[in-house]
């Protein structure tokens, strides 16, 4: 797992998704300035945009197998455990912990084109 805090190095606001980016596993973005993420390709007019403004973290992941032909775009709360290290649920960084009977509504949206 790689946690990227702050600004992400981009070229014209874009990151090229290549398998090498995932060599250390999933990529977690810890940057409150990221309010949406769009996955697109120069090979198609199709894209998907994920609204992330209510989430403190954003994750990109795919399967370890070279044959995997997908990438997951996932807004979330909490940093997952590092490989081989397990933490108590209440002690995990970034978790949204609520008092008993408390509620919190969190929304996201996906726009497919």
């Amino acid at each position: 797992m790689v946690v990227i805090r702050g600004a992400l190095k981009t070229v014209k606001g874009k990151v090229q998704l290549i398998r090498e980016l995932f060599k250390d596993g999933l990529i977690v973005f810890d940057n409150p300035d990221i309010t949406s993420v769009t996955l697109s390709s120069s090979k198609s007019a199709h894209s998907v945009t994920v609204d992330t403004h209510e989430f403190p973290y954003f994750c990109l992941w795919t399967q370890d197998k070279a044959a995997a032909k997908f990438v997951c775009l996932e807004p979330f709360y909490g940093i997952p455990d590092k490989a081989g290290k397990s933490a108590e649920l209440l002690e995990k960084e970034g978790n949204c912990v609520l008092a008993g009977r408390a509620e919190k509504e969190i929304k996201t949206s996906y726009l497919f084109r």
Side-chain angles (χ1 to χ4, degrees), residues 1 12 18 25 27 30 57 67 69 81-82 94 99 106 109:
M1 170 180 60
K12 297 182 181 178
I18 56 174
I27 303 168
D30 177 4
Y57 303 100
K69 297 188 182 210
D81 292 337
K82 293 182 180 176
I106 304 167
S109 65

Side-chain angles (χ1 to χ4, degrees), residues 59-74:
C59 178
L60 292 175
W61 64 272
T62 190
Q63 288 182 327
D64 293 337
K65 299 174 184 170
K69 297 188 182 210
F70 74 91
V71 63
C72 182
L73 311 172
E74 185 177 352

Side-chain angles (χ1 to χ4, degrees), residues 21-96:
L21 282 176
F22 300 97
K23 70 180 181 354
D24 294 321
L26 57 91
I27 303 168
V28 177
F29 298 90
D30 177 4
N31 183 338
D33 294 333
I34 297 174
T35 58
S36 68
V37 175
T38 299
L39 177 65
S40 63
S41 172
S42 59
K43 297 178 182 179
S44 166
H46 299 290
S47 67
V48 60
T49 298
V50 183
D51 172 15
T52 64
H53 80 275
E54 291 191 27
F55 292 84
Y57 303 100
F58 184 79
C59 178
L60 292 175
W61 64 272
T62 190
Q63 288 182 327
D64 293 337
K65 299 174 184 170
K69 297 188 182 210
F70 74 91
V71 63
C72 182
L73 311 172
E74 185 177 352
F76 65 93
Y77 271 84
I79 301 290
D81 292 337
K82 293 182 180 176
K85 295 183 180 180
S86 182
E88 290 295 321
L89 182 62
L90 292 175
E91 296 173 1
K92 291 185 180 194
E93 180 184 348
N95 275 359
C96 179

